[in-house]
Amino acid sequence: MRTLRLLLLASCLVLAAGPARAFVPQTITVDGTNDFDPSNLVTDDRLDTQKFFCTPDSVYPLDVGRIYLTNDNTYLYLGIEFSQYCFTGDNIGVAIDVNGAAGGATDPFGRKIGWASVANRPDWVVYDVLKYPGNTFNYEALYKDSLGAWYNRSIYVNPSYGSGSDGLHIADSTGFIEFKLPLATLGISAGNTINVEWWLTQEGATKGPLDAAMSDNVQMSRVGQTTWDTTAVVQMTTMFAYGVMSAVDSIPPTVSNAVAVNFPLLADKTFNLTTNKIDVTFSEPVSQVTANVAGNYAFSGPVSRTVVLAQRDAAASNVVHLTLNSGITANAAFYNITVSNVQDLAANPIVANGTTNVGSFFIQTLAFEGNFKVGLCKGIFAPTDTFSIEGNLLPLTFSLCDNALLKDPNADSIYTISVPFCMAKNVGTGKAEADLEWKFARICSQFEPLGSNRTYHLTSDNGASATLAGFWNNDDPANFTFHPVDVVFQVNVTLVGPAPGDSFFVQGNEYPLAFTPSGVLMHDDGVAPDLVAGDKTYTAKARFPNCAGKNVEWKTYYRGNYECLTQGNRTFYLNDAAYDTVGGAMGALTLPARGIERCTVTDKAVTVVFRVDMTLLDPDPGPADTVAAMGDIAPMSFVAPPPAAARMFDDGAGYDAAAGDHIFTRAITYPDSSNLSGQFKYWLNGVFECASIPNRSLVINDVIYSTTTPWIRPLNAWDFCSDPTGVPYGGGVDASASFAVLRQSFPNPMMPRTTIRFDLKRAGRVTLTVYDVFGRRVAKLVDAELAVGPHEAVWNGRDATGRRAPSGVYLYELGMGGQHLSRRLVVTK
C-alpha cells in the first residue's frame, strides 16, 4: 500500500512539473505593463532565492518571477517579473535556441555561465543591464552565435540605434520587463519549436546565474543562501520548448523606420561622409516580389534623388536595402522615404496614407576633437601612437580600432575625425534623437581610464553638424604646466618651538613632492632661499617639471606626523604664465610664510570691512531698516535675525565714508584660527539678496591683512552677486556697455527654449556663452565676427554634450575684446 502511494505521489510530481501548455497568440504592447494572457505563463519562478530586506519592501530581489511567452505573426514577445532596485549591476539574460546547427557554449558577457550541458545550445542571447538607484546607466544588446563566437546583432532589432541604452526598446522600469524580437530576425515562423531560458546575474567576470527560470538546480541563490561569485563555469541544464503559433494576419505592414547606412570606411579608417544606401524597416516581413521593386519607394528631402535598386534582406525579411542614384550627406533637414504597393507575406498591401508608409531620418556629422597634449608632454604617449573613437551607435562600435581613427594633420596634438550618424525621426516628437556613449582609445588596445563612458545626446535640434571636444582622461592642458616652475615653500614654526633636533619637511601631491615620509627637507640657516637664519621660518625650494599639475596640495611633516590633522591640505596654483625658475625671466613662485598648523585657518586675527551699495533699491533703505552681512565664518552667521555685530550702517561713522550715500558698511573681526574661506550674502529686513544664486565667496588674506591693517573689500552692489569664478550675475542692472546692449532673454523662465537679443554698437568678434551658477560653461551660443546692429541667438536648454540643462538659474554673458555683459535667466521643466 505504501509503495502504491509513493508511485501515485511520483506520478503527481511528474504531472506538476510538466503541465500541458495552451498558449494563445497575442500582440503585446511593450510598455512595462503585464497584459499577457494567463495562458501564456511559462512558469512561476517566484520565491526560490534568498530573501533580503530591500527598501521600501522586504522582497526577493534576486528572483526572476513569473515568465511569459507568446507571439503573433511578426514578433516573439517575452515578459519577466523582477523585483528590481535592491542590488546594483543586475543583468537579465534570455537565451533562445532556434535549432541552429551549433549554438554558443559560452556567455556573451563573459559571465560564468555555460551551455555545454543542454541538448540545444542558444543561437541568440539578449542581455539587459538594468538601471539601479542613483544610476541611469542601461545597456541592452542582442547577440548571435556564429561558429562558436558571439557577435552583437542589436541592429537587427533596431537598425537606427542598436546596442546601448534602450538599444532594444526593452521596457524595464516598472518591475515587469517585456520586449519583442522579430520572428524574421530570429529566423523562425509558425510551426517551429524554439528553446528558451531566462536568468538573473550581475556585473563581473566571476558572476553566474543567481536565479534561473528553468535551470533551478544550478542557480546560485537559494532560499537560505547565496553564492555571489564563482571561479567555475556554471553549466545551465534545461531550456523551455516553445512552439511558435500561427496567427491570422489581416493587418497591413507599416514603415517602422528608415535610416541611411553604410557610410564607406576609407583605407585610413576615416569615413566618407556621403552614402547612397538606405535601409527601410517594416513592422513585419514583406514579400520579396513587392519589396524588390525600386519604383515602390519615393525619396524626398532637401536634395533630389531616385531609388534605383531595392533588395529585401536575405536574413531579416522585414528589412529592405535601397540604393540611390547619388549620395546624400548631413543636412539640417529631414530625408524621407515614402513606400507604396509593398505587401506583407499575407498579401496585405501597405496603406498609402502619408504617415504609416513614410520613414524619415536625419543625418548629423559629429566632429570629434581629442586634445592629447598632456599625455604627449608627460611621455605617456609616443608621437607614433594612434588614437580612435569608440562608441555604441553605428558607425562606431566598442571594438577597438575597427574604424574612426583620429588624425593630427597640423601636428598640434589635437586629433580630429568627423563621423556621420543617422537617426530615425520620432513621429511623436517630430525630432530625431539618440544617446551616444563613447570614449577615446589608444594604439588599438587601451580605452581612456574614465570611470564611465562619455555621453552625448544626438538631436536634430543641433542641425547638420556639431563638435565634441575632449581631453584624454579629461586631462585639460590648462591644468598642467608647460615649462618647469620653482616654488619656494615657507612655514613659520613659532607655534611649536621648535625643539632641538626638530626637522621639517614639505610633502605634497605633485612630483617632486609626495605624501610619503619624509619629503623635501626645509632649512632655517639663512642660505638661499631661506632669508634669515634662526627666525623660525623654515624654507625649501622644489622644482616642478614640465607637465606638472597646477593645482597643488601640500603640508609640513615633522615629529613623525603631519601638521593640520583636523584640517585640509594647504593649496596653491602653479601658474606657469607668471613664474618659471630661480634666475629665469619670470622668477620663482614664493609662498608666504604662514604659521605651522594653520593649513586652512588664519594664523592671526583679521578685520574685514564689508561694503554694499543699495542705490538700486526703491525705496532706499533708511534708519528703520536692517541691513546686515550674513555668512558662515564666525562671528558671522546665516541664522536670522543677525547679531548687532553684523549690522551695517550708512551713517558716516568708522569705515563708512559718507552718511546718506546709500553705501552701507560694517567692519567684522575674525579671530585667530578662523576658516580661511567661506560664504556670505547681504540681508535686508529678513530677505537675502540674489535669490536662487549661490552665496558670495570670501577668502581671508591673513598674510597682508590683520586687525591693524584691515581688509577693506571692494564695493559690492546689492543683488549683484558673483559665482566662485568671479563672473557677475546681473540683478536689475542695465546690461549695456560701450560695445553693446544686452537684453533680457525671452521667455524667462524658459521652457523649453529662449531667445537672447543684443545690439552691437561696433563690429567685432563676439561670444555669447551660458554659465551655470558655479561658473562652469554650459553652452556657447555665438563665437563669430558680427556687424553693427541687432542680433539674436536661441538657446535650446541643452549643454555642450546635448543633454538638457537642469532647472535652475543660469548666466548668459556677451563678450567682445575683453569687455563683458551678463544677465540671468531661469530654466524650468
Side-chain angles (χ1 to χ4, degrees), residues 341-360:
N341 302 320
V342 172
Q343 300 176 358
D344 63 16
L345 301 183
N348 296 305
I350 195 167
V351 178
N353 54 13
T355 55
T356 60
N357 68 324
V358 178
S360 300

Side-chain angles (χ1 to χ4, degrees), residues 353-435:
N353 54 13
T355 55
T356 60
N357 68 324
V358 178
S360 300
F361 59 91
F362 191 89
I363 303 175
Q364 184 177 79
T365 298
L366 287 187
F368 292 88
E369 294 182 355
N371 187 325
F372 306 139
K373 289 182 179 179
V374 173
L376 289 163
C377 177
K378 288 186 173 183
I380 299 171
F381 306 150
T384 56
D385 283 353
T386 58
F387 299 92
S388 60
I389 301 293
E390 314 298 333
N392 67 314
L393 299 184
L394 292 176
L396 299 181
T397 72
F398 276 113
S399 297
L400 283 166
C401 215
D402 57 341
N403 58 32
L405 199 65
L406 292 149
K407 305 295 181 183
D408 183 15
N410 300 325
D412 59 357
S413 303
I414 299 176
Y415 291 67
T416 62
I417 188 175
S418 293
V419 181
F421 293 91
C422 184
M423 302 167 283
K425 184 177 184 179
N426 184 308
V427 177
T429 64
K431 301 178 182 181
E433 298 179 294
D435 288 317

